[in-house]
């Protein structure tokens, strides 16, 4: 059985590599609602929860209420980690190549990276170190682990710091300077939906400007955004993610949809739509794509939890 599954995956990957144009047209990618993250009592009633996928192990993490919930590939809760008393506020989490859980915590006016074993038990803790003077007021709320580096995003301040797993500063980005914002404009705008892809490009949304942005490691940016109420237009964009073919997914909190664009920001389609059916969304914000499984996790408000959709590429 393992050999058959492995061969099927190899053939599928090879065909996708040989014929990449098959996923580039508007008719090729579709999104189908599967279910919502749940426990044995029903749908978990999160509001605006932070999610990320551990693709190597087929698990999904949700950071909410100072703790971390872990779900299996069927969307069922399998573990809950509660850190409120021990670590203070836990703002975000990630998983490294060894399966260790990394936490971004804040206690007694200090931000720390906490390394936990696979069971979530804290093992080591590191303060943020060697930050340059311009990061003196750094207030990170988001964390992404990518290829041995930890990306911390101060969304309100529009700063990103890249550190090693023990908290030592490697490099930083002042996103506000790209838009020539003064201090007041910096705080009025901010960024949302921060993520980092496998090529170390940073993806985020400047919601106040209605722009989706991809910033390369050298600091150059590509951006897209057209205000409007029609398909492919931005009302109030929130989260952003990328699938395995480089398509960009953007949530819109006002329009109540998830939009799919090609890697060149050509509009492909949208799904979700505002409503009360299980497949609908209400104020969708955070979004995560499990690129290995082709699944999309969309967090929403009003205790609607996290919806799961399957991306299909004919």
């Amino acid at each position: 059985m393992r050999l058959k599954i492995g061969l099927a995956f190899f053939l599928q990957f090879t065909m996708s590599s040989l014929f990449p144009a098959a996923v580039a047209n508007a008719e090729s990618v579709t999104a189908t609602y599967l279910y919502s993250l749940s426990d044995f009592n029903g749908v978990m009633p999160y509001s605006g929860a932070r999610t990320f996928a551990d693709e190597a192990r087929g698990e999904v993490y949700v950071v909410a209420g100072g703790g971390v919930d872990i779900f299996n590939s069927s969307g069922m809760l399998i573990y809950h980690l509660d850190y409120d008393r021990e670590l203070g506020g836990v703002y975000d989490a990630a998983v490294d190549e060894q399966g260790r859980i990394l936490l971004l915590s804040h206690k007694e006016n200090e931000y720390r990276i906490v390394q936990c074993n696979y069971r979530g038990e804290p093992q080591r803790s590191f303060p943020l170190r060697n930050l340059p003077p311009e990061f003196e007021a750094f207030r990170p709320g988001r964390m992404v682990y990518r290829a041995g580096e930890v990306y911390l995003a101060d969304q309100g301040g529009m700063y990103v710091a890249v550190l090693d797993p023990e908290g030592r500063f490697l490099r930083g980005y002042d996103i506000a300077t790209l838009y020539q914002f003064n201090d007041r404009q910096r705080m009025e705008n901010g960024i949302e939906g921060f993520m980092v892809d496998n090529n170390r490009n940073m993806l985020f949304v400047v919601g106040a400007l209605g722009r989706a942005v991809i910033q390369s490691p050298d600091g150059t940016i590509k951006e897209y955004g057209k205000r409007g109420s029609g398909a492919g237009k931005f009302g109030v964009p929130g989260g952003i993610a990328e699938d395995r073919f480089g398509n960009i997914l953007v949530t819109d909190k006002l329009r109540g949809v998830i939009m799919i664009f090609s890697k060149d920001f050509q509009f492909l389609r949208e799904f979700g739509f505002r409503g009360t059916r299980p497949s609908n969304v209400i104020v969708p914000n955070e979004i995560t794509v499990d690129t290995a499984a082709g699944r999309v996790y969309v967090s929403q408000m009003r205790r609607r939890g996290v919806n799961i959709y399957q991306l299909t590429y004919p």
Side-chain angles (χ1 to χ4, degrees), residues 149-300:
E149 297 181 335
V150 177
Y151 290 72
L152 300 182
D154 177 346
Q155 294 174 286
M158 302 186 76
Y159 288 105
V160 176
V162 185
L163 303 92
D164 70 14
E166 295 185 355
R168 289 181 286 262
F169 182 86
L170 300 175
R171 61 187 182 277
Y173 301 91
D174 183 352
I175 296 170
T177 61
L178 298 175
Y179 295 93
Q180 299 181 339
F181 288 159
N182 58 35
D183 289 342
R184 179 182 59 80
Q185 291 171 320
R186 179 194 298 272
M187 301 308 297
E188 287 177 349
N189 287 276
I191 62 174
E192 297 185 66
F194 180 80
M195 72 155 291
V196 182
D197 68 14
N198 289 327
N199 295 316
R200 300 188 181 183
N201 296 308
M202 298 187 301
L203 285 71
F204 53 89
V205 168
V206 184
L209 300 181
R211 310 295 288 179
V213 183
I214 301 175
Q215 181 172 337
S216 65
D218 65 7
T220 59
I221 64 171
K222 295 190 300 182
E223 61 178 1
Y224 172 81
K226 293 183 179 180
R227 292 286 195 185
S229 57
K233 302 293 180 63
F234 289 173
V236 179
I240 187 169
E242 183 180 78
D243 72 5
R244 62 191 175 105
F245 295 107
N247 294 325
I248 309 299
L249 289 80
V250 180
T251 65
D252 194 297
K253 295 183 284 187
L254 178 62
R255 295 185 54 236
V257 296
I258 303 97
M259 294 168 279
I260 306 178
F261 300 88
S262 72
K263 60 183 179 181
D264 298 317
F265 284 117
Q266 298 298 311
F267 174 65
L268 301 180
R269 64 177 64 246
E270 56 190 26
F271 63 96
F273 305 104
R274 184 187 298 111
T276 57
R277 294 180 180 180
S279 61
N280 294 141
V281 290
I282 296 179
V283 193
N285 46 15
E286 299 288 351
I287 182 170
T288 295
V289 176
D290 182 335
T291 58
R295 290 187 175 178
V296 181
Y297 298 83
V298 180
S299 179
Q300 49 190 319

Side-chain angles (χ1 to χ4, degrees), residues 2-273:
R2 289 181 180 272
L3 178 61
K4 291 181 180 179
I5 293 174
L7 180 59
F9 176 81
F10 172 78
L11 291 174
Q12 181 182 17
F13 177 80
T14 302
M15 294 298 288
S16 299
S17 300
L18 291 175
F19 303 102
V23 300
N25 59 72
E27 292 74 30
S28 61
V29 56
T30 59
T32 304
Y33 172 75
L34 298 178
Y35 35 73
S36 300
L37 293 180
S38 304
D39 63 8
F40 288 108
N41 295 314
V43 174
M44 296 290 287
Y46 301 117
S47 287
R50 166 81 172 107
T51 64
F52 76 92
D54 179 4
E55 298 183 359
R57 297 158 191 84
E59 295 175 339
V60 179
Y61 285 63
V62 176
V63 182
V68 179
D69 290 335
I70 305 175
F71 296 80
N72 62 19
S73 58
S74 298
M76 290 297 295
L77 180 68
I78 57 174
Y79 211 69
H80 171 73
L81 309 172
D82 191 356
Y83 295 111
D84 267 348
R85 295 182 179 178
E86 185 174 6
L87 302 179
V90 173
Y91 293 162
D92 211 343
V95 175
D96 68 12
E97 296 90 346
Q98 288 76 43
R100 294 177 300 188
I101 300 173
L102 307 180
L103 304 174
L104 171 61
S105 74
H106 181 257
K107 187 176 183 180
E108 298 177 351
N109 296 319
E110 184 177 57
Y111 292 91
R112 304 183 71 89
I113 296 174
V114 181
Q115 293 182 0
C116 307
N117 62 20
Y118 71 96
R119 291 191 177 93
E121 299 165 340
Q123 304 291 305
R124 305 172 71 190
S125 178
F126 305 97
L128 310 188
R129 293 178 279 176
N130 305 328
L131 295 178
E134 58 267 30
F135 280 71
E136 181 180 0
F138 189 56
R139 302 289 184 270
R142 296 290 295 271
M143 176 171 66
V144 176
Y145 178 86
R146 189 68 67 199
E149 297 181 335
V150 177
Y151 290 72
L152 300 182
D154 177 346
Q155 294 174 286
M158 302 186 76
Y159 288 105
V160 176
V162 185
L163 303 92
D164 70 14
E166 295 185 355
R168 289 181 286 262
F169 182 86
L170 300 175
R171 61 187 182 277
Y173 301 91
D174 183 352
I175 296 170
T177 61
L178 298 175
Y179 295 93
Q180 299 181 339
F181 288 159
N182 58 35
D183 289 342
R184 179 182 59 80
Q185 291 171 320
R186 179 194 298 272
M187 301 308 297
E188 287 177 349
N189 287 276
I191 62 174
E192 297 185 66
F194 180 80
M195 72 155 291
V196 182
D197 68 14
N198 289 327
N199 295 316
R200 300 188 181 183
N201 296 308
M202 298 187 301
L203 285 71
F204 53 89
V205 168
V206 184
L209 300 181
R211 310 295 288 179
V213 183
I214 301 175
Q215 181 172 337
S216 65
D218 65 7
T220 59
I221 64 171
K222 295 190 300 182
E223 61 178 1
Y224 172 81
K226 293 183 179 180
R227 292 286 195 185
S229 57
K233 302 293 180 63
F234 289 173
V236 179
I240 187 169
E242 183 180 78
D243 72 5
R244 62 191 175 105
F245 295 107
N247 294 325
I248 309 299
L249 289 80
V250 180
T251 65
D252 194 297
K253 295 183 284 187
L254 178 62
R255 295 185 54 236
V257 296
I258 303 97
M259 294 168 279
I260 306 178
F261 300 88
S262 72
K263 60 183 179 181
D264 298 317
F265 284 117
Q266 298 298 311
F267 174 65
L268 301 180
R269 64 177 64 246
E270 56 190 26
F271 63 96
F273 305 104

